Amino acid sequence: MVGGLITEHWHWRAIFWLNLPLGALALAMTWNTLKRLKWQRRDHRLDFLGAAMIVSATVSLMLALTWGGADGRWTSPTVLGLLAGAAVLLILLARHLTRASEPLIPLRVLGNPVVLAATLAVFFSMAGYVGLRSSVPLYLQLVLGLSASQAGLALVTYLAGTVLGANMAALDGARVQRYKRLPVAGASRRSPLPASRSPRPISVCLRRSASSSSSAIFAYRTQFPVTTVSVQNAVSPADIGVATARSGRSVQRASAS
């Protein structure tokens, strides 16, 4: 809602400054607790080469998907060159990961069937979640004719679905023995966007948004806490950080896609 007001009365780029006070608040809330955690220092070698290759491959692929069919044809030399470069970099990255002493992505972690299944599940679910999050504001403003602040108010149902889905899944996961059923049940629930194309009052929009897209967001968000916990329980204590990061990385890749 605040972002919608800032977009209307100031500039849309200013909404990114909201991260500064929110980040400072989060740091203040966790700083004292994190200082009490026990930790043990170990010397490691950072995989700068692997990081450079995965970033370069991702950028090349995203540029090809962005420019292909828009600024040029899919068969244009630029797009084909970017796709070929991304493929070559991914092959070199896979070879590098098998030889590096401390690779950016330890293949032994992805070789765990629980980690692999959870990573793929989160990737595809997050792709749907981000698709809804990106298309619903456009639908509300371009099709239903709402302003940016009104669209932000209608998206409160997204927040409700996120909070309720994540918290209920976390609480239920702590009580049940076979918590695999929770993400499976969440992934099976999908709801379409409202079909009406005529402008509606904000009260109607709120009801339609709550009855359709919010349930889909609720379903998506039930997956993430459970998959994270399942990944952490499936690996050795030394690999918990890497496995958790892989699950989070799949979210970032789905967002980029």
Side-chain angles (χ1 to χ4, degrees):
M1 294 172 60
V2 174
L5 292 173
I6 292 177
T7 301
E8 283 186 29
H9 302 289
W10 193 3
H11 198 280
W12 66 267
R13 291 188 178 93
I15 63 175
F16 296 103
W17 291 100
L18 290 175
N19 292 325
L20 295 181
L22 294 177
L25 179 61
L27 181 63
M29 295 172 61
T30 58
W31 182 254
N32 291 330
T33 301
L34 293 177
K35 286 196 301 183
R36 293 195 294 267
L37 293 177
K38 295 181 180 180
W39 64 281
Q40 183 177 358
R41 181 180 179 85
R42 295 185 177 91
D43 293 329
H44 294 280
R45 296 182 60 183
L46 297 179
D47 187 11
F48 291 107
L49 180 58
M53 286 193 291
I54 195 171
V55 169
S56 300
T58 303
V59 171
S60 298
L61 180 60
M62 292 306 303
L63 287 176
L65 296 178
T66 301
W67 292 343
D71 297 337
R73 294 181 299 177
W74 286 103
T75 56
S76 65
T78 301
V79 174
L80 292 177
L82 288 171
L83 291 174
V88 171
L89 286 170
L90 288 176
I91 294 174
L92 294 176
L93 175 64
R95 183 179 180 183
H96 169 75
L97 295 179
T98 60
R99 299 184 176 186
S101 57
E102 292 190 64
L104 178 68
I105 307 173
L107 296 182
R108 69 177 185 278
V109 175
L110 282 180
N112 187 305
V114 176
V115 176
L116 181 60
T119 300
L120 292 175
V122 171
F123 175 85
F124 289 110
S125 296
M126 193 65 189
Y129 169 72
V130 173
L132 281 174
R133 191 182 64 185
S134 302
S135 61
V136 168
L138 295 176
Y139 177 87
L140 294 176
Q141 295 181 66
L142 300 180
V143 178
L144 298 186
L146 300 183
S147 64
S149 59
Q150 289 174 327
L153 180 60
L155 291 179
V156 170
T157 56
Y158 271 159
L159 178 61
T162 298
V163 174
L164 291 176
N167 281 276
M168 291 182 64
L171 293 174
D172 291 340
R175 290 194 295 261
V176 300
Q177 183 178 4
R178 299 183 180 276
Y179 48 79
K180 176 183 176 181
R181 298 170 182 173
L182 295 174
V184 171
S188 64
R189 295 185 58 190
R190 296 293 184 267
S191 295
L193 292 176
S196 174
R197 292 185 174 273
S198 59
R200 301 291 184 181
I202 185 64
S203 59
V204 176
C205 179
L206 283 170
R207 291 197 299 270
R208 300 292 295 274
S209 180
S211 63
S212 58
S213 58
S214 181
S215 62
I217 295 300
F218 178 89
Y220 286 127
R221 297 305 296 185
T222 58
Q223 288 189 283
F224 303 141
V226 180
T227 51
T228 300
V229 172
S230 64
V231 163
Q232 293 172 341
N233 289 336
V235 299
S236 63
D239 292 330
I240 287 180
V242 175
T244 306
R246 291 313 307 153
S247 179
R249 181 63 179 169
S250 67
V251 172
Q252 296 176 1
R253 292 193 177 198
S255 301
S257 300

